[in-house]
Amino acid sequence: MVSVAALLTMAATGALGFWQLDRAGQKRDLQARIDERAQLPAWNAADVLNMDGPAAGLHRVVQLSGEWVPGTTLFLDNRQMAGRPGFFVVTALRLEGSAMAVLVQRGWVPRDFQERSRVPEVLTPDGIVAVQGWLAPPPGKLYELGEAGTGPIRQNIDIEGVSQEWGVPLLALSVVQTGTATDALRRDWSVVTAGVQKHLGYAFQWFGLCALAGFLYVWFQFISPRRKRSSHVSDA
């Protein structure tokens, strides 16, 4: 019975280790595609509007021109940059020559912890502006209690929901803005990675458990009993 349990444990943990290695291989391929796209020539607004679905454009560098849509600046709460809590500032950019807009993650600003309902003033100029960055999924969602807010401070943002709220057609992705932050924002964005190291770490843990189960089985089934018999013979 002990032998069966040990074999099952080693088979399960070993299989999980190889599965994590396979996942790491998939993520390594994804990372290669991310790096490759980042080196391609920047897309303009026409390229973005004509892409074959959001997935085709993810991680592409863009250089866009358009106008900030009035009344669409939101502050996403509980977001960190360089270990400090604050807001991610997002605003819809209507692409030049089109009715379509794209949500731009413009940067990070600190929060006023003395007056939590206060938002910092962020310069949002009128007229045509140039925005450079890369295409990304919409801002990641955090756990939220209760209904989504409706004011300038939000915990999360839903592209379809705010599109209806603002009456502005939005693309199903966002732009992470880069470049010098001249509007009181920080743009020290984390490097985009596919998470290869995470899966390699999980694989190491599973293989470690597999080896431990094998070692304990051999120790308690063979080595420890033999040592005890040898000790008894010596005492006799």
Side-chain angles (χ1 to χ4, degrees), residues 188-200:
D188 303 327
W189 303 109
S190 300
V191 176
V192 179
T193 63
V196 175
Q197 295 302 319
K198 177 183 69 175
H199 291 287
L200 291 177

Side-chain angles (χ1 to χ4, degrees), residues 68 89-93 102-107 131 174-177:
W68 298 119
V89 181
V90 298
T91 307
L93 178 76
V102 63
L103 193 69
V104 179
Q105 301 185 51
R106 300 173 60 188
V131 172
S174 70
V175 173
V176 177
Q177 187 174 3

Side-chain angles (χ1 to χ4, degrees), residues 2-225:
V2 173
S3 298
V4 173
L7 287 174
L8 288 176
T9 300
M10 294 178 65
T13 52
L16 287 169
F18 282 112
W19 177 70
Q20 288 294 343
L21 285 181
D22 182 65
R23 291 286 293 152
Q26 296 175 24
K27 291 298 182 70
R28 193 176 288 110
D29 292 339
L30 175 59
Q31 186 66 55
R33 292 196 296 272
I34 290 174
D35 295 340
E36 181 183 3
R37 285 187 177 185
Q39 300 303 317
L40 294 174
W43 273 0
N44 58 27
D47 295 321
V48 173
L49 291 170
N50 293 324
M51 64 184 173
D52 296 327
L58 289 179
H59 313 297
R60 285 296 299 254
V61 175
V62 293
Q63 292 181 349
L64 306 175
S65 59
E67 295 181 271
W68 298 119
V69 181
T72 63
T73 296
L74 297 178
F75 297 81
L76 300 186
D77 201 2
N78 296 317
R79 310 292 167 142
Q80 291 195 3
M81 186 166 286
R84 296 179 58 195
F87 300 109
F88 280 175
V89 181
V90 298
T91 307
L93 178 76
R94 181 174 285 111
L95 300 176
E96 188 174 14
S98 173
M100 292 295 298
V102 63
L103 193 69
V104 179
Q105 301 185 51
R106 300 173 60 188
W108 176 93
V109 290
R111 179 163 196 166
D112 186 342
F113 289 97
Q114 301 298 320
E115 189 176 344
R116 297 185 64 85
S117 61
R118 180 181 179 183
V119 295
E121 189 171 332
V122 177
L123 179 64
T124 306
D126 297 328
I128 298 295
V129 296
V131 172
Q132 64 183 41
W134 74 81
L135 294 176
K141 293 189 176 183
L142 304 179
Y143 182 73
E144 185 171 15
L145 292 173
E147 297 291 330
T150 57
I153 298 177
R154 310 278 177 101
Q155 183 77 358
N156 296 302
I157 189 168
D158 175 70
I159 292 288
E160 185 176 350
V162 294
S163 178
Q164 295 178 359
E165 177 184 341
W166 296 333
V168 177
L170 288 171
L171 296 172
L173 39 63
S174 70
V175 173
V176 177
Q177 187 174 3
T178 58
T180 304
T182 57
D183 40 12
L185 298 167
R186 290 188 62 176
R187 297 188 181 125
D188 303 327
W189 303 109
S190 300
V191 176
V192 179
T193 63
V196 175
Q197 295 302 319
K198 177 183 69 175
H199 291 287
L200 291 177
Y202 289 156
F204 177 81
Q205 292 176 10
W206 285 119
F207 287 136
L209 289 173
C210 180
L212 178 61
F215 172 77
L216 292 176
Y217 174 74
V218 172
W219 177 267
F220 286 107
Q221 293 297 113
F222 301 103
I223 298 178
S224 182

